């Protein structure tokens, strides 16, 4: 069931970026999970800003491609504690897995074709 519209998805994207950026400070991650969280936050911010969605800035990446990239970020976050060797750090491991699962859940519940099929041109600033 696709619950999230492109606009609501944009709000969730920016909230996830803030969460990824603040978690290392709030949960006192070590250097490796901190770097993973910051790089993921920055990557997600750039992808969101470049996506063709109502809250995107440049609208260069088609919204379905945005979903595929976001899915990859989610899977990468889930695997990162074992890929980068911080699986022994409980809070960092749990946060990475939960944040990755949240990203995948957002991808699975978004209507990526909502705007694509109904409009031939990209969104403008006022979502017309």
């Amino acid at each position: 069931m696709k619950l999230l519209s492109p606009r609501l998805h944009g709000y969730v994207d920016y909230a996830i970026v803030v969460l990824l950026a603040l978690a290392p400070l709030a949960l006192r991650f070590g250097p490796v999970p901190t770097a993973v969280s910051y790089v993921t936050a920055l990557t997600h911010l750039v992808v969101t800003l470049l996506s063709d969605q109502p809250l995107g800035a440049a609208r260069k990446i088609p919204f379905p491609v945005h979903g595929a990239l976001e899915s990859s970020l989610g899977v990468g976050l889930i695997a990162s504690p074992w890929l980068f060797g911080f699986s022994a750090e409980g809070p960092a491991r749990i946060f990475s897995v939960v944040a990755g699962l949240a990203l995948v859940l957002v991808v699975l519940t978004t209507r990526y074709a909502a705007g694509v099929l109904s409009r031939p041109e990209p969104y403008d600033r006022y979502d017309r």
Side-chain angles (χ1 to χ4, degrees):
M1 175 175 353
K2 305 295 183 170
L3 303 173
L4 299 177
S5 67
R7 177 171 292 284
L8 184 56
H9 181 100
Y11 291 126
V12 172
D13 278 348
Y14 289 115
I16 289 172
V17 168
V18 170
L19 183 70
L20 286 168
L22 294 179
L25 299 172
L27 300 175
R28 301 183 191 272
F29 290 173
V32 173
T34 297
V36 168
S37 191
Y38 287 158
V39 167
T40 305
L42 181 62
T43 304
H44 196 254
L45 178 63
V46 169
V47 167
T48 301
L49 288 172
L50 293 177
S51 293
D52 180 21
Q53 62 172 323
L55 300 178
R59 295 180 173 88
K60 300 294 182 191
I61 300 173
F63 195 43
V65 174
H66 167 94
L69 294 171
E70 198 167 51
S71 179
S72 299
L73 282 174
V75 171
L77 267 177
I78 293 168
S80 66
W82 296 274
L83 288 174
F84 299 111
F86 63 91
S87 61
E89 295 181 43
R93 180 189 66 241
I94 292 168
F95 175 79
S96 291
V97 170
V98 170
L101 288 172
L103 269 175
V104 171
L105 184 63
V106 166
V107 169
L108 292 175
T109 58
T110 297
R111 293 186 310 250
Y112 287 100
V116 176
L117 297 177
S118 63
R119 60 181 177 77
E121 65 277 345
Y123 292 103
D124 66 2
R125 284 270 176 228
Y126 304 103
D127 196 19
R128 293 182 274 184

